[in-house]
Amino acid sequence: MADEKGLNFIEEIVERDLKSGKYQQIITRFPPEPNGYLHLGHAKSICLNFGLANDYNGKTNLRFDDTNPVTEETEYVDNIKSDVRWLGFDWANELYASDYFDQLYEFAVKLISKGLAYVDDSTSEEIALQKGTPTKPGTDNEFRSRSVEENLKLFEEMKEGKYQDGAKVLRAKVDMKHVNMLMRDPLIYRIKHAHHHRTGDKWCIYPMYDFAHGQSDAIEGVTHSICTLEFVPHRELYDWFIQKLEIFPSKQYEFARLNMTYTMMSKRKLLQLVNEKHVNGWDDPRMPTISAMRRRGFTPESIRDFCERIGVAKRDNLIDFGLLEFCVRDHLNKVALRRMMVLDPIKVVVTNYESDKEELLPSENNPEDDAAGSRDLPFCKELYIERDDFMENPPKKYFRLFPGGMVRLKSAYIIQCDEVIKNASGEVVELRCTYFPESKSGSDSSGLKVKGVIHWVSAKHAIPAEVRLYDRLFNTEDLGAIDDDFTNHLNPESLKVQHAYAEPELVNAETKDRFQFMRIGYFCLDLDSTKDKLVFNRTTTLRDMWSKEQKKD
């Protein structure tokens, strides 16, 4: 049972069906096409379908809609399975629409035998014209009156490979004057001489989605077939097929798809971004695919939380990308290991620290989790701090380092800036500072009071690293409202690469680890990282910097 926070409309339907005894157990399905990588919109559907089954002791099938052999690849199948499992779900059965090709063929024969389907020799252009328009009824053609015997013979010849692609199609005989244009004798089979990733060359005719979808649901006994709102007009045809074939009466329900600010959710357009090299593959961390989010450092917990927060609605709306970032910040704040990384270094020489002296200073791994323990940071005479943490002429209420000013180094000592060293062009290249031995973190007896705390790394022990600072892929908030080429709205600042210095503990980082680089943001190790070259991806900033920048504009 769902918890008491309030039921969404689909949960209300499920509870009503179970209480009335209509079903003893609910069965849902997640039916992706294996023609691309799953994105956040699919994550919403996964959480809904698998979540319903979990909440109501039902089950969910993972069924691949592999009815179009031209666009399907085994790579996509494997990736989809990996994504579903990563999100924290598992399926009752792994199924394929192609499992039912023989049965779907027999269903088509049954429709022909009942005088409810016919073979049409018209071209696709002719069929489109014959269908009419939303305000103009369609017209019957000469092939609609073919006899059952002739249609059975022609359909079998289609199956045997006698005809070329596009020469004939099988259409349902519904009503060419129907107000719903999808009911105007829809195509249910087409000829396609193409190798299928599972059935090989056994078939040269393939069912259309509208025919395979509902019948696959019925074969599996799916009780609640959950689709997005664009399938509302298809529901009438879904029900028509089930009724005429006299099979299990699966029911289709529709909910609003995920639309998100600054985000493209069209699989076709995402494929275009990949093919045109606007991004570096489906798992480029700027993409909204689940693989990309995983590589960028998002956690399954944060994505499930996001899907829970946005809910299940009957009307389309636009979700703020900032909500997704809030969810990942909220989770990473609890689980991310704190580490120090200096992105834009300036050298600090601690003049009163002995040249050959080194010490290890303990620093907590996560202040939100006592069980996370601590690690030791090496401290020596030469350090790196962020260039942004020093100002030669600071404004009032500036609490970081400046000439004559003091600041605490996180988990270390208080230092005071005594001298600023510049190069020939006037750029600050070095700060000479004094440290106060009695100010050691955890045992400070100096009596000094400072308001600023900054991060740092030991210059001697620091590890070079590449840091990839990712931001939104698009500059435009509502990509659904644009009229021009969507690639015109790509954000040229969506990726910045910086060479940084990391504390030595990060040499042990693994791709499964999540980090908060103190005062910078949340990061993870990238797949490109090697032992000799560490590469980190920024998952998100510590705060919502994007909204602040937009308000400035």
Side-chain angles (χ1 to χ4, degrees):
M1 281 236 168
D3 61 38
E4 297 302 318
K5 70 183 185 322
L7 303 178
N8 62 52
F9 78 97
I10 293 180
E11 289 170 339
E12 289 176 349
I13 292 168
V14 169
E15 290 212 353
R16 186 173 65 242
D17 289 345
L18 289 172
K19 285 178 181 177
S20 69
K22 183 177 181 179
Y23 305 116
Q24 298 305 306
Q25 181 187 47
I26 71 159
I27 300 176
T28 63
R29 85 288 176 269
F30 176 61
E33 294 180 66
N35 61 357
Y37 281 41
L38 300 182
H39 55 59
L40 280 168
H42 296 108
K44 178 180 177 180
S45 180
I46 291 168
C47 290
L48 175 56
N49 280 286
F50 284 89
L52 283 170
N54 289 345
D55 289 345
Y56 294 97
N57 298 316
K59 63 181 184 179
T60 301
N61 292 332
L62 174 62
R63 184 210 309 142
F64 292 95
D65 174 29
D66 56 346
T67 55
N68 186 353
V70 175
T71 61
E72 291 147 9
E73 295 181 18
T74 303
E75 171 199 349
Y76 296 140
V77 171
D78 294 339
N79 182 264
I80 288 167
K81 291 194 287 186
S82 175
D83 284 348
V84 173
R85 285 200 173 107
W86 179 77
L87 279 172
F89 300 106
D90 208 347
W91 46 91
N93 301 288
E94 179 182 327
L95 303 167
Y96 297 78
S98 55
D99 294 337
Y100 311 132
F101 279 176
D102 288 288
Q103 195 162 357
L104 291 171
Y105 177 82
E106 292 304 321
F107 283 157
V109 169
K110 183 175 181 178
L111 288 177
I112 294 172
S113 300
K114 295 176 74 171
L116 295 174
Y118 62 98
V119 174
D120 193 336
D121 298 2
S122 304
T123 64
S124 57
E125 294 79 11
E126 289 169 340
I127 290 173
L129 286 173
Q130 292 160 9
K131 279 201 168 187
T133 69
T135 57
K136 180 183 176 183
T139 55
D140 296 354
N141 65 27
E142 59 186 297
F143 308 111
R144 199 174 193 271
S145 59
R146 277 175 164 155
S147 68
V148 168
E149 293 72 25
E150 184 180 8
N151 282 316
L152 288 171
K153 175 176 176 293
L154 291 172
F155 188 50
E156 185 172 354
E157 289 175 349
M158 287 170 60
K159 178 190 173 199
E160 291 171 350
K162 187 174 180 179
Y163 304 108
Q164 295 182 342
D165 291 7
K168 298 181 187 299
V169 294
L170 183 69
R171 298 175 68 177
K173 188 187 288 188
V174 187
D175 182 358
M176 288 299 289
K177 295 178 175 58
H178 202 288
V179 66
N180 181 351
M181 289 192 65
L182 291 174
M183 298 295 285
R184 295 181 186 177
D185 291 11
L187 276 62
I188 54 177
Y189 264 91
R190 78 283 205 199
I191 302 170
K192 196 176 284 287
H193 292 270
H195 185 81
H196 190 278
H197 75 114
R198 296 188 74 246
T199 60
D201 298 315
K202 176 182 177 180
W203 295 91
C204 62
I205 57 171
Y206 292 94
M208 303 298 288
Y209 175 82
D210 274 330
F211 188 64
H213 172 214
Q215 281 51 259
S216 297
D217 285 346
I219 292 167
E220 295 170 17
V222 169
T223 58
H224 299 79
S225 177
I226 304 168
C227 306
T228 45
L229 288 176
E230 61 264 36
F231 289 97
V232 169
H234 297 249
R235 190 198 317 147
E236 193 170 9
L237 182 59
Y238 181 102
D239 292 341
W240 187 90
F241 281 130
I242 284 175
Q243 179 189 6
K244 300 304 180 185
L245 289 168
E246 303 172 273
I247 52 181
F248 180 83
S250 295
K251 289 293 181 183
Q252 176 179 301
Y253 303 94
E254 305 87 12
F255 71 101
R257 60 177 292 172
L258 175 60
N259 298 304
M260 195 157 62
T261 57
Y262 306 103
T263 307
M264 176 57 66
M265 292 292 190
S266 162
K267 197 188 290 186
R268 177 178 58 83
K269 290 182 178 178
L270 294 179
L271 178 60
Q272 182 181 337
L273 291 176
V274 173
N275 289 340
E276 294 180 0
K277 309 298 183 185
H278 294 292
V279 294
N280 300 315
W282 284 99
D283 67 343
D284 185 306
R286 293 167 292 180
M287 291 277 274
T289 60
I290 297 173
S291 293
M293 307 301 285
R294 178 165 65 245
R295 183 174 178 181
R296 185 163 166 171
F298 280 75
T299 60
E301 292 89 345
S302 64
I303 293 177
R304 293 198 304 268
D305 181 32
F306 171 72
C307 292
E308 178 72 19
R309 288 174 183 268
I310 62 177
V312 179
K314 292 183 180 181
R315 296 178 60 184
D316 282 326
N317 56 359
L318 190 63
I319 303 297
D320 189 345
F321 187 85
L323 177 59
L324 177 62
E325 292 180 311
F326 170 83
C327 292
V328 74
R329 285 191 194 103
D330 186 59
H331 186 239
L332 290 179
N333 183 54
K334 299 169 187 171
V335 302
L337 299 172
R338 272 50 170 179
R339 296 291 183 262
M340 297 201 207
M341 174 81 73
V342 176
L343 300 185
D344 186 11
I346 184 171
K347 181 183 283 190
V348 169
V349 177
V350 185
T351 55
N352 63 332
Y353 198 88
E354 297 174 30
S355 298
D356 58 350
K357 181 180 178 181
E358 293 179 12
E359 60 183 309
L360 294 175
L361 304 175
S363 187
E364 74 270 24
N365 286 325
N366 187 338
E368 303 288 325
D369 180 9
D370 292 338
S374 63
R375 83 281 187 197
D376 290 329
L377 299 171
F379 186 89
C380 63
K381 187 178 184 68
E382 294 187 354
L383 314 170
Y384 290 127
I385 67 169
E386 292 286 356
R387 187 169 295 276
D388 285 348
D389 283 336
F390 172 79
M391 287 188 75
E392 197 167 5
N393 299 296
K396 288 182 179 180
K397 296 186 178 180
Y398 181 82
F399 300 125
R400 287 169 281 173
L401 202 57
F402 55 89
M406 292 188 293
V407 72
R408 174 171 291 283
L409 300 176
K410 170 68 178 172
S411 300
Y413 298 96
I414 294 172
I415 60 171
Q416 176 177 289
C417 179
D418 303 318
E419 185 179 358
V420 178
I421 308 298
K422 300 181 181 180
N423 61 18
S425 61
E427 179 186 20
V428 177
V429 294
E430 185 179 301
L431 304 175
R432 294 186 179 172
C433 300
T434 301
Y435 92 111
F436 299 89
E438 300 83 9
S439 67
K440 187 175 182 179
S441 291
S443 59
D444 186 355
S445 60
S446 68
L448 298 172
K449 302 295 183 183
V450 296
K451 293 186 176 180
V453 180
I454 63 174
H455 61 281
W456 54 278
V457 294
S458 161
K460 179 178 179 181
H461 304 91
I463 303 168
E466 178 180 300
V467 175
R468 298 172 181 176
L469 304 176
Y470 290 103
D471 211 329
R472 288 156 169 73
L473 185 56
F474 292 93
N475 272 327
T476 300
E477 183 175 50
D478 186 359
L479 291 167
I482 62 175
D483 296 321
D484 58 334
D485 185 341
F486 78 102
T487 61
N488 293 337
H489 300 263
L490 286 165
N491 176 14
E493 304 294 317
S494 62
L495 171 60
K496 295 179 181 178
V497 178
Q498 287 192 228
H499 298 284
Y501 287 106
E503 66 167 86
E505 183 66 24
L506 282 166
V507 75
N508 299 314
E510 299 180 25
T511 53
K512 65 179 176 62
D513 296 331
R514 299 294 177 264
F515 301 104
Q516 184 195 104
F517 291 166
M518 299 178 66
R519 305 172 60 241
I520 298 173
Y522 293 102
F523 291 78
C524 70
L525 192 71
D526 186 70
L527 299 174
D528 291 341
S529 195
T530 65
K531 186 177 179 180
D532 299 323
K533 181 185 178 182
L534 295 178
V535 180
F536 291 93
N537 297 329
R538 182 172 70 187
T539 307
T540 188
T541 54
L542 290 178
R543 297 176 184 84
D544 185 359
M545 304 306 294
W546 183 272
S547 294
K548 292 181 180 179
E549 291 300 314
Q550 294 302 101
K551 287 176 183 176
K552 289 180 185 178
D553 296 339

